[in-house]
Amino acid sequence: MDFDELQNTIRTIEAKVPGVLSDAGSIDALRSLESGILGKKGSLGSLIATIGRYPQDQRGKVGQAINAAKGRIKGLIEKRFKEFQAADAAEEVDAAAAFDPTLPGDPIPMGAVHPVTAVQWEVERIFERLGFTVEAGPAMETEYNNFDALNIPDTHPARDMQDTFWLTNGMVLRTHTSPVQHRSMLKFGAPLRVIAPGQCFRYETVDASHDTTFYQIEGLLIDRDISIPNLIAMAKLLLNEVMQREVKVRVRPGYFPFVEPGIEIDMNCEICDGVGCATCKQSGWVEVLPAGMVHPSVLKAGGIDTEQYTGFAFGLGLTRLAMMKYGIRDIRVLNTGDLRALVSPRRLGGVLLC
Ligand code: FA5
């Protein structure tokens, strides 16, 4: 193209610039327009490469014409760029003015302790007031502690009462917290008041009230002149305190080789209020507190003088009690990380984590 045509091309390019600049909606869009016009391959920038095609005596004015146009367009782009900066700054000022530091902040969702832990802590507090200490035993137990020391030799049919996970090293995942009875007798002797919360494992069919992993709290009191009425009074006190009202209970005979006599203390099903539902297997009652007077063989295995001492023991179904307290119909939600099982902070009262 000759010099006149070049000037026409430059004029056409410049004429379009104000329109495209005002259409640019952001600084980024502006930057890409800038390179589309002034960059090496841009509509104006690419003309620089054509200078060499003009006769020697015209190259100076060709270069000047292109550079002059480049300067004018650059000026327009800078002006638009400043407009964007000013708008951003004004937005920030508006946001700062709109922020009221005296208003309460957005609520932060709060975590709560797991229902089973919450009830465990409550039970611990109740028993600590009654002079009990809190003991712990291992989840992996010896066969002897889980069975033999509790008057369940390997020929005893009662071993089948609790389906056991046997480990390859000959030990078991404890099926109940009762082994802590034996451990505590050996450790402290008599008189003795301990509770032992802990996880238990059974190879069972899972349903609304049975899981393969669940929690119990063992209780053991050994002293002089201890009898069943002491046990029943303590059990009622425990349930009433946890539920914060008078709980309807029933006491019936129960068989466990490590107690004699043995009893089952059931509580009214709080899910259906005794009418019958899947949680209580339509019976209206929930088994939560099997118990009894400690069998003399168990006391002897623990080195306790049976001439002087008697005692009672119980195995509170902690997971089931938590279900009753918080209205949880199905035990399975408690082990699956289901957030619906995490009760509201309001109902948990004083035992919130934060
Ligand atoms: C025992 O485990 C005895 N060791 C309790 C005991 C201790 C009796 C001291 C006498 C003296 P049982 O198998 O019934 O008993 O379990 C006790 C409680 O644990 C049950 O009442 C129930 O509330 C709970 N429980 C038992 N199996 C499961 C399970 N699979 N899932 C959830 N809770 C269970």
Side-chain angles (χ1 to χ4, degrees), residues 270-291:
E270 299 293 310
I271 306 292
C272 60
D273 198 17
V275 172
C277 65
T279 313
C280 61
K281 294 210 165 62
Q282 312 303 331
S283 71
W285 296 97
V286 177
E287 286 178 17
V288 284
L289 231 163

PDB file of all heavy atoms in Angstrom, residues 270-291:
ATOM      1  N   GLU A 270     -37.724 -45.442  74.909  1.00  0.00           N
ATOM      2  CA  GLU A 270     -38.025 -44.012  74.778  1.00  0.00           C
ATOM      3  C   GLU A 270     -38.404 -43.643  73.348  1.00  0.00           C
ATOM      4  O   GLU A 270     -38.905 -42.558  73.101  1.00  0.00           O
ATOM      5  CB  GLU A 270     -36.799 -43.178  75.190  1.00  0.00           C
ATOM      6  CG  GLU A 270     -36.380 -43.390  76.619  1.00  0.00           C
ATOM      7  CD  GLU A 270     -37.415 -42.876  77.608  1.00  0.00           C
ATOM      8  OE1 GLU A 270     -37.845 -41.716  77.462  1.00  0.00           O
ATOM      9  OE2 GLU A 270     -37.787 -43.634  78.518  1.00  0.00           O
ATOM     10  N   ILE A 271     -38.102 -44.533  72.398  1.00  0.00           N
ATOM     11  CA  ILE A 271     -38.419 -44.219  71.004  1.00  0.00           C
ATOM     12  C   ILE A 271     -39.936 -44.313  70.793  1.00  0.00           C
ATOM     13  O   ILE A 271     -40.541 -43.446  70.180  1.00  0.00           O
ATOM     14  CB  ILE A 271     -37.705 -45.211  70.040  1.00  0.00           C
ATOM     15  CG1 ILE A 271     -36.196 -45.236  70.312  1.00  0.00           C
ATOM     16  CG2 ILE A 271     -38.008 -44.896  68.587  1.00  0.00           C
ATOM     17  CD1 ILE A 271     -35.426 -43.990  69.979  1.00  0.00           C
ATOM     18  N   CYS A 272     -40.552 -45.375  71.355  1.00  0.00           N
ATOM     19  CA  CYS A 272     -41.993 -45.568  71.125  1.00  0.00           C
ATOM     20  C   CYS A 272     -42.786 -45.373  72.410  1.00  0.00           C
ATOM     21  O   CYS A 272     -43.985 -45.611  72.442  1.00  0.00           O
ATOM     22  CB  CYS A 272     -42.237 -46.977  70.585  1.00  0.00           C
ATOM     23  SG  CYS A 272     -41.665 -48.261  71.722  1.00  0.00           S
ATOM     24  N   ASP A 273     -42.099 -44.997  73.488  1.00  0.00           N
ATOM     25  CA  ASP A 273     -42.696 -44.871  74.819  1.00  0.00           C
ATOM     26  C   ASP A 273     -43.425 -46.147  75.231  1.00  0.00           C
ATOM     27  O   ASP A 273     -44.551 -46.118  75.733  1.00  0.00           O
ATOM     28  CB  ASP A 273     -43.623 -43.653  74.893  1.00  0.00           C
ATOM     29  CG  ASP A 273     -43.878 -43.259  76.356  1.00  0.00           C
ATOM     30  OD1 ASP A 273     -43.107 -43.699  77.227  1.00  0.00           O
ATOM     31  OD2 ASP A 273     -44.859 -42.543  76.619  1.00  0.00           O
ATOM     32  N   GLY A 274     -42.771 -47.271  74.983  1.00  0.00           N
ATOM     33  CA  GLY A 274     -43.299 -48.547  75.486  1.00  0.00           C
ATOM     34  C   GLY A 274     -44.350 -49.189  74.602  1.00  0.00           C
ATOM     35  O   GLY A 274     -44.848 -50.269  74.906  1.00  0.00           O
ATOM     36  N   VAL A 275     -44.676 -48.552  73.477  1.00  0.00           N
ATOM     37  CA  VAL A 275     -45.742 -49.105  72.633  1.00  0.00           C
ATOM     38  C   VAL A 275     -45.223 -50.301  71.819  1.00  0.00           C
ATOM     39  O   VAL A 275     -45.944 -51.277  71.599  1.00  0.00           O
ATOM     40  CB  VAL A 275     -46.286 -48.003  71.673  1.00  0.00           C
ATOM     41  CG1 VAL A 275     -47.255 -48.582  70.661  1.00  0.00           C
ATOM     42  CG2 VAL A 275     -46.932 -46.887  72.480  1.00  0.00           C
ATOM     43  N   GLY A 276     -43.955 -50.237  71.405  1.00  0.00           N
ATOM     44  CA  GLY A 276     -43.377 -51.293  70.564  1.00  0.00           C
ATOM     45  C   GLY A 276     -42.925 -50.709  69.231  1.00  0.00           C
ATOM     46  O   GLY A 276     -43.710 -50.053  68.555  1.00  0.00           O
ATOM     47  N   CYS A 277     -41.627 -50.931  68.902  1.00  0.00           N
ATOM     48  CA  CYS A 277     -41.091 -50.407  67.635  1.00  0.00           C
ATOM     49  C   CYS A 277     -39.903 -51.283  67.226  1.00  0.00           C
ATOM     50  O   CYS A 277     -39.549 -52.226  67.944  1.00  0.00           O
ATOM     51  CB  CYS A 277     -40.651 -48.946  67.797  1.00  0.00           C
ATOM     52  SG  CYS A 277     -39.272 -48.721  68.945  1.00  0.00           S
ATOM     53  N   ALA A 278     -39.276 -50.945  66.091  1.00  0.00           N
ATOM     54  CA  ALA A 278     -38.155 -51.770  65.604  1.00  0.00           C
ATOM     55  C   ALA A 278     -36.984 -51.718  66.580  1.00  0.00           C
ATOM     56  O   ALA A 278     -36.265 -52.709  66.751  1.00  0.00           O
ATOM     57  CB  ALA A 278     -37.712 -51.277  64.229  1.00  0.00           C
ATOM     58  N   THR A 279     -36.783 -50.582  67.239  1.00  0.00           N
ATOM     59  CA  THR A 279     -35.630 -50.438  68.134  1.00  0.00           C
ATOM     60  C   THR A 279     -35.731 -51.399  69.320  1.00  0.00           C
ATOM     61  O   THR A 279     -34.735 -51.986  69.745  1.00  0.00           O
ATOM     62  CB  THR A 279     -35.520 -48.973  68.625  1.00  0.00           C
ATOM     63  OG1 THR A 279     -35.657 -48.105  67.508  1.00  0.00           O
ATOM     64  CG2 THR A 279     -34.204 -48.706  69.326  1.00  0.00           C
ATOM     65  N   CYS A 280     -36.956 -51.560  69.854  1.00  0.00           N
ATOM     66  CA  CYS A 280     -37.122 -52.446  71.025  1.00  0.00           C
ATOM     67  C   CYS A 280     -37.692 -53.801  70.609  1.00  0.00           C
ATOM     68  O   CYS A 280     -38.168 -54.560  71.453  1.00  0.00           O
ATOM     69  CB  CYS A 280     -38.002 -51.782  72.079  1.00  0.00           C
ATOM     70  SG  CYS A 280     -39.668 -51.401  71.515  1.00  0.00           S
ATOM     71  N   LYS A 281     -37.655 -54.069  69.329  1.00  0.00           N
ATOM     72  CA  LYS A 281     -38.182 -55.324  68.782  1.00  0.00           C
ATOM     73  C   LYS A 281     -39.629 -55.546  69.226  1.00  0.00           C
ATOM     74  O   LYS A 281     -40.018 -56.636  69.640  1.00  0.00           O
ATOM     75  CB  LYS A 281     -37.308 -56.506  69.217  1.00  0.00           C
ATOM     76  CG  LYS A 281     -35.915 -56.466  68.627  1.00  0.00           C
ATOM     77  CD  LYS A 281     -35.378 -57.878  68.450  1.00  0.00           C
ATOM     78  CE  LYS A 281     -34.169 -57.928  67.559  1.00  0.00           C
ATOM     79  NZ  LYS A 281     -33.017 -57.193  68.030  1.00  0.00           N
ATOM     80  N   GLN A 282     -40.390 -54.473  69.164  1.00  0.00           N
ATOM     81  CA  GLN A 282     -41.847 -54.489  69.465  1.00  0.00           C
ATOM     82  C   GLN A 282     -42.164 -54.845  70.915  1.00  0.00           C
ATOM     83  O   GLN A 282     -43.321 -55.067  71.250  1.00  0.00           O
ATOM     84  CB  GLN A 282     -42.617 -55.464  68.534  1.00  0.00           C
ATOM     85  CG  GLN A 282     -42.299 -55.324  67.054  1.00  0.00           C
ATOM     86  CD  GLN A 282     -42.532 -53.919  66.517  1.00  0.00           C
ATOM     87  OE1 GLN A 282     -43.384 -53.185  67.007  1.00  0.00           O
ATOM     88  NE2 GLN A 282     -41.733 -53.520  65.528  1.00  0.00           N
ATOM     89  N   SER A 283     -41.155 -54.878  71.802  1.00  0.00           N
ATOM     90  CA  SER A 283     -41.436 -55.314  73.179  1.00  0.00           C
ATOM     91  C   SER A 283     -41.782 -54.138  74.090  1.00  0.00           C
ATOM     92  O   SER A 283     -42.348 -54.328  75.169  1.00  0.00           O
ATOM     93  CB  SER A 283     -40.208 -56.029  73.765  1.00  0.00           C
ATOM     94  OG  SER A 283     -39.177 -55.072  74.004  1.00  0.00           O
ATOM     95  N   GLY A 284     -41.399 -52.925  73.691  1.00  0.00           N
ATOM     96  CA  GLY A 284     -41.631 -51.756  74.560  1.00  0.00           C
ATOM     97  C   GLY A 284     -40.524 -51.582  75.599  1.00  0.00           C
ATOM     98  O   GLY A 284     -40.505 -50.598  76.330  1.00  0.00           O
ATOM     99  N   TRP A 285     -39.599 -52.556  75.685  1.00  0.00           N
ATOM    100  CA  TRP A 285     -38.523 -52.496  76.676  1.00  0.00           C
ATOM    101  C   TRP A 285     -37.157 -52.616  75.986  1.00  0.00           C
ATOM    102  O   TRP A 285     -37.041 -53.311  74.986  1.00  0.00           O
ATOM    103  CB  TRP A 285     -38.645 -53.649  77.686  1.00  0.00           C
ATOM    104  CG  TRP A 285     -39.880 -53.587  78.519  1.00  0.00           C
ATOM    105  CD1 TRP A 285     -41.035 -54.261  78.292  1.00  0.00           C
ATOM    106  CD2 TRP A 285     -40.082 -52.783  79.687  1.00  0.00           C
ATOM    107  NE1 TRP A 285     -41.963 -53.940  79.262  1.00  0.00           N
ATOM    108  CE2 TRP A 285     -41.401 -53.030  80.135  1.00  0.00           C
ATOM    109  CE3 TRP A 285     -39.296 -51.885  80.405  1.00  0.00           C
ATOM    110  CZ2 TRP A 285     -41.950 -52.418  81.251  1.00  0.00           C
ATOM    111  CZ3 TRP A 285     -39.831 -51.268  81.528  1.00  0.00           C
ATOM    112  CH2 TRP A 285     -41.143 -51.540  81.938  1.00  0.00           C
ATOM    113  N   VAL A 286     -36.166 -51.976  76.562  1.00  0.00           N
ATOM    114  CA  VAL A 286     -34.812 -52.063  76.002  1.00  0.00           C
ATOM    115  C   VAL A 286     -33.873 -52.607  77.065  1.00  0.00           C
ATOM    116  O   VAL A 286     -33.844 -52.118  78.201  1.00  0.00           O
ATOM    117  CB  VAL A 286     -34.323 -50.663  75.537  1.00  0.00           C
ATOM    118  CG1 VAL A 286     -32.890 -50.732  75.011  1.00  0.00           C
ATOM    119  CG2 VAL A 286     -35.242 -50.119  74.457  1.00  0.00           C
ATOM    120  N   GLU A 287     -33.116 -53.648  76.685  1.00  0.00           N
ATOM    121  CA  GLU A 287     -32.138 -54.237  77.623  1.00  0.00           C
ATOM    122  C   GLU A 287     -30.955 -53.293  77.737  1.00  0.00           C
ATOM    123  O   GLU A 287     -30.230 -53.083  76.763  1.00  0.00           O
ATOM    124  CB  GLU A 287     -31.620 -55.561  77.065  1.00  0.00           C
ATOM    125  CG  GLU A 287     -32.601 -56.689  77.155  1.00  0.00           C
ATOM    126  CD  GLU A 287     -32.042 -57.983  76.539  1.00  0.00           C
ATOM    127  OE1 GLU A 287     -30.820 -58.079  76.354  1.00  0.00           O
ATOM    128  OE2 GLU A 287     -32.860 -58.862  76.228  1.00  0.00           O
ATOM    129  N   VAL A 288     -30.774 -52.705  78.896  1.00  0.00           N
ATOM    130  CA  VAL A 288     -29.628 -51.797  79.055  1.00  0.00           C
ATOM    131  C   VAL A 288     -28.712 -52.162  80.208  1.00  0.00           C
ATOM    132  O   VAL A 288     -27.570 -51.759  80.254  1.00  0.00           O
ATOM    133  CB  VAL A 288     -30.047 -50.313  79.256  1.00  0.00           C
ATOM    134  CG1 VAL A 288     -30.488 -49.671  77.964  1.00  0.00           C
ATOM    135  CG2 VAL A 288     -31.064 -50.155  80.363  1.00  0.00           C
ATOM    136  N   LEU A 289     -29.237 -52.911  81.201  1.00  0.00           N
ATOM    137  CA  LEU A 289     -28.424 -53.060  82.392  1.00  0.00           C
ATOM    138  C   LEU A 289     -28.460 -54.460  82.999  1.00  0.00           C
ATOM    139  O   LEU A 289     -29.051 -54.668  84.055  1.00  0.00           O
ATOM    140  CB  LEU A 289     -28.899 -52.029  83.427  1.00  0.00           C
ATOM    141  CG  LEU A 289     -27.795 -51.160  84.034  1.00  0.00           C
ATOM    142  CD1 LEU A 289     -28.382 -49.943  84.693  1.00  0.00           C
ATOM    143  CD2 LEU A 289     -26.958 -51.919  85.021  1.00  0.00           C
ATOM    144  N   PRO A 290     -27.798 -55.409  82.334  1.00  0.00           N
ATOM    145  CA  PRO A 290     -27.695 -56.718  82.977  1.00  0.00           C
ATOM    146  C   PRO A 290     -26.726 -56.621  84.159  1.00  0.00           C
ATOM    147  O   PRO A 290     -25.785 -55.829  84.127  1.00  0.00           O
ATOM    148  CB  PRO A 290     -27.117 -57.609  81.875  1.00  0.00           C
ATOM    149  CG  PRO A 290     -26.467 -56.685  80.909  1.00  0.00           C
ATOM    150  CD  PRO A 290     -27.133 -55.356  81.031  1.00  0.00           C
ATOM    151  N   ALA A 291     -27.006 -57.404  85.190  1.00  0.00           N
ATOM    152  CA  ALA A 291     -26.222 -57.224  86.429  1.00  0.00           C
ATOM    153  C   ALA A 291     -26.380 -58.447  87.324  1.00  0.00           C
ATOM    154  O   ALA A 291     -27.049 -59.420  86.969  1.00  0.00           O
ATOM    155  CB  ALA A 291     -26.728 -55.980  87.161  1.00  0.00           C
TER     156      ALA A 291
END
